[in-house]
Structure formats: C-alpha cells, structure tokens
Amino acid sequence: MEMLFGGRYVLLLMSLFSIYCGLIYNEFFSVPFHIFGGSAYKCRDVTCSDAKSAGLIKFRDPYPFGVDPSWRGSRSELPFLNSLKMKMSILIGVAQMNLGIVLSYFNARFFHSSLDIRYQFVPQMIFLNSLFGYLSLLIIIKWCTGSQADLYHVMIYMFLSPTDDLGENELFWGQRPLQIVLLLLALVAVPWMLFPKPFILKKLHSERFQGRTYGLLGSSEFDLDVEPDSARDHHEEFNFSEVFVHQMIHSIEFVLGAVSNTASYLRLWALSLAHSELSTVFYEKVLLLAWGYDNIIIRLIGLAVFAFATAFILLMMETLSAFLHALRLHWVEFQNKFYHGDGYKFKPFSFALITDDDD
C-alpha cells in the first residue's frame, strides 16, 4: 500500500475528475441516469412504444447539465457522441496550446527579451488563432445556433478557394471576408517569425562591439599586452547562418506543429470512445447477460467477472493508458511552446573550489 499512499493526492484528483466526467455524461458504470431532470426528447408519436428503436423528437429546452441521457442506446448515439467528443478535444487542445504560448510571453518578460515577445510570441498567437482559434469559434457558433454547416468543408476551402461563396456552410454574416483576413494574417505571421529576429540579433551584435573596437585604436601595443581581458580577446564571432538556421527550424516546427499538435489532441476522443465502449460491453454482455439467468451461481459468476473487469481493466489499465497519453500531451504539445530545458551546467560541490574562491 506504500505506493498508493504516496500517490494519494493524485488518486484523489483522478477520482474527483472521474466523478465530474460521469456527471457530464450523466452515467454511472455506463448506465444512464436522469440526475438533473427529465429528458428534452420524447417519442415521435403515440404509437412509439420503444423510443430507442423508433426515434426521438425534441420538445423542450436542452438538458441543463451534460449530455442528455436519452442519447444512450439510441440509433444516433455513436455519431452524436463522436462529433461531440471530437469537437471538445479540439477546443481543449487549442486552449492548452494558447496557454503554452502565453507562458512563453512570461518567460520572455522574465529574461527581458523584447525580441522574443515581438517576433515569436505575437506571430505565434496570430498564426495559431487565425486557423485553429477560428475553427474553435466555428465549433462554438455551430453548437449555439444548431447549424448544419460542414466545418471540414469550411476549413479546407478556406485555403483552396477563399473567395468562393460559402452557401449553406455560412455560419454568420461577414464570414467570407473574415476568413480571407485570417488567412492573410496566418501567411504574414510565418515570415514574421522567421526573418526579423536573426537580422536584428546580427545588428545588435555588431553595434555592441563596434564601440569597443574603436576604443582600442587609441591604446598602445603595451596596453594591449597587459590587458588580457580586453574587448579584442572577448570578441565572439557572430555566426549568422547558425542563428538563421536555428530560427528557421523553430519557425517550421511551430507551423507544422500547430497542425499536428491539434490533431494529436484527438487522442482524447479516441480514449473516451474506447473507455465508453468497454464499459458498455462489460455491462451489457457480462452483467446483464448473467442476470438474465434465473440461477444464483451464474449471477454470482457474472458479477465477479464484471467486478474484475471493472477494477483491473477499466480502473487500472485504462487509467494507466489515459495517464500516459495525458503525459505525452503535456510534454510534447503543451511544453514545446515555452519550455526549452537549456538549464545551467551542473557544478558539484567541491572544497577545492571554495579555497580557490577565497584565494
């Protein structure tokens, strides 16, 4: 139990978030519950005896909190939940990547690097939100208006033919000119990240050592010999090609990573879908199947198998899988926006160093 005791706070937080997710989906062990009131859907007509097979119609306001439990078991359950989870994954991913870029701003402020703020933070925010921030806005507008617009079509033809009429895929007035402006901003942000910073660094380096070089002209050869710490000895050569290649790699990595990192957050959708389907299989094909027999032995065996599968497969294996995927999202997709890990050279404690400093 020592390992469990050491991770007691992690387990507490994981259990609280599991309860929260259960409330969002209004489920308990894959069993739907109408916790927050009645459903917003009812039978299509009076002859509808089985709403799960004949279909449902909406007759009141949406469910007050989370997913309406009536979706559970309906014919459109999987398409609806797939769409919902996919869009939620994109929203969470874009929000976390924006947070990572905001943290890079505070890093730049801490190190007093105005270049990083002007030529990395600003264009990165513009590029990410011109494309995927706009996609997140479209998702929220589609949810709020109930539009049937195809967001795949909107985003693809935003690049292929931005001037074409959107037709039935138009979500709000002025969407087409806004898309053109956002596309131009994204295109401008790429050279904004790439070119100015290396040239400004070269100019600052040349200005920094120019005055020192002129100051050496008035000194004698004897003065230069007795000043080993003079500016000429410490004049470091500025390798412009290395700085430019480094900036180019960083810019290309961010541009390509904006697409791949957003797609990588879809693993949240896949994990949620796998966990949900496993829960349904264990509940329907093990517990309910065993409960269908009028035999106490079979029922006890089914209950034992269901408890074993829930504890060891859903709670342990699935939890480990979700933890590893979440760790990867934090390390790769989130921290590469602000964390460099350069650090400082490790200097172990030594009495010899102390004596040298005293001398």
Side-chain angles (χ1 to χ4, degrees):
M1 301 295 289
E2 184 180 356
M3 184 182 296
L4 294 178
F5 181 77
R8 59 193 183 279
Y9 296 113
V10 176
L11 293 175
L12 174 64
L13 289 174
M14 290 172 65
S15 61
L16 291 176
F17 281 112
S18 298
I19 295 171
Y20 174 66
C21 287
L23 292 175
I24 285 180
Y25 292 108
N26 289 298
E27 289 182 0
F28 180 76
F29 284 100
S30 78
V31 181
F33 283 93
H34 290 82
I35 304 173
F36 300 100
S39 173
Y41 300 90
K42 66 176 181 179
C43 285
R44 189 178 301 276
D45 50 41
V46 293
T47 60
C48 167
S49 59
D50 187 4
K52 294 184 178 180
S53 60
L56 301 168
I57 58 171
K58 188 174 181 180
F59 74 102
R60 65 169 69 167
D61 290 336
Y63 204 69
F65 184 82
V67 178
D68 197 312
S70 293
W71 284 104
R72 187 69 175 184
S74 64
R75 290 177 298 175
S76 54
E77 174 195 5
L78 206 55
F80 170 74
L81 289 181
N82 273 345
S83 175
L84 175 68
K85 292 174 181 178
M86 179 174 63
K87 292 180 173 66
M88 286 178 64
S89 301
I90 292 175
L91 291 177
I92 292 172
V94 173
Q96 190 176 32
M97 288 191 292
N98 271 297
L99 175 62
I101 299 176
V102 169
L103 291 179
S104 72
Y105 165 77
F106 289 104
N107 277 346
R109 276 190 57 186
F110 177 80
F111 292 109
H112 304 289
S113 176
S114 59
L115 282 180
D116 288 338
I117 296 176
R118 290 197 297 264
Y119 302 110
Q120 281 193 8
F121 166 73
V122 175
Q124 284 179 359
M125 288 292 287
I126 291 175
F127 182 84
L128 182 65
N129 291 293
S130 295
L131 301 180
F132 298 103
Y134 173 64
L135 174 60
S136 303
L137 176 66
L138 291 182
I139 290 172
I140 295 174
I141 292 176
K142 184 177 179 180
W143 278 348
C144 295
T145 61
S147 172
Q148 298 297 318
D150 186 3
L151 298 186
Y152 294 109
H153 183 278
V154 173
M155 293 303 296
I156 290 173
Y157 283 90
M158 178 179 173
F159 295 94
L160 297 182
S161 52
T163 58
D164 287 359
D165 188 23
L166 294 172
E168 60 182 9
N169 291 318
E170 186 171 1
L171 285 162
F172 55 89
W173 180 84
Q175 183 177 353
R176 186 175 64 177
L178 176 63
Q179 288 186 174
I180 296 174
V181 171
L182 292 177
L183 186 61
L184 292 175
L185 284 175
L187 293 176
V188 169
V190 177
W192 190 352
M193 277 186 280
L194 176 60
F195 293 110
K197 188 177 175 181
F199 288 98
I200 293 176
L201 286 175
K202 182 180 179 181
K203 180 182 177 183
L204 291 176
H205 186 272
S206 61
E207 290 176 352
R208 183 184 308 161
F209 289 98
Q210 187 177 20
R212 298 186 184 183
T213 307
Y214 291 157
L216 292 172
L217 295 177
S219 59
S220 62
E221 294 181 1
F222 176 76
D223 293 330
L224 291 176
D225 293 336
V226 298
E227 291 182 2
D229 294 332
S230 64
R232 181 173 295 179
D233 293 332
H234 279 80
H235 190 287
E236 298 178 0
E237 189 67 27
F238 183 79
N239 194 337
F240 176 77
S241 60
E242 182 180 346
V243 174
F244 187 82
V245 168
H246 180 269
Q247 186 68 20
M248 181 173 64
I249 292 173
H250 186 272
S251 302
I252 294 174
E253 183 182 14
F254 179 82
V255 172
L256 297 180
V259 181
S260 63
N261 293 349
T262 306
S264 186
Y265 277 93
L266 294 177
R267 71 183 65 238
L268 298 174
W269 162 38
L271 288 168
S272 177
L273 178 64
H275 192 86
S276 174
E277 294 303 309
L278 278 174
S279 302
T280 304
V281 167
F282 291 141
Y283 174 70
E284 293 182 355
K285 303 302 181 183
V286 177
L287 188 62
L288 292 185
L289 188 65
W291 231 249
Y293 292 92
D294 193 14
N295 188 320
I296 189 64
I297 304 297
I298 297 179
R299 288 186 176 184
L300 288 176
I301 293 174
L303 184 61
V305 173
F306 175 74
F308 178 84
T310 299
F312 290 96
I313 297 179
L314 290 181
L315 294 182
M316 293 184 65
M317 290 178 58
E318 283 284 308
T319 300
L320 178 62
S321 172
F323 169 74
L324 292 176
H325 282 282
L327 187 66
R328 179 240 149 78
L329 287 175
H330 278 81
W331 181 252
V332 179
E333 278 73 24
F334 174 55
Q335 293 194 12
N336 70 354
K337 302 293 185 293
F338 65 94
Y339 180 70
H340 300 292
D342 298 334
Y344 302 95
K345 184 178 180 181
F346 175 67
K347 294 181 178 180
F349 177 76
S350 173
F351 286 105
L353 294 176
I354 295 178
T355 56
D356 290 344
D357 293 340
D358 293 340
D359 294 339

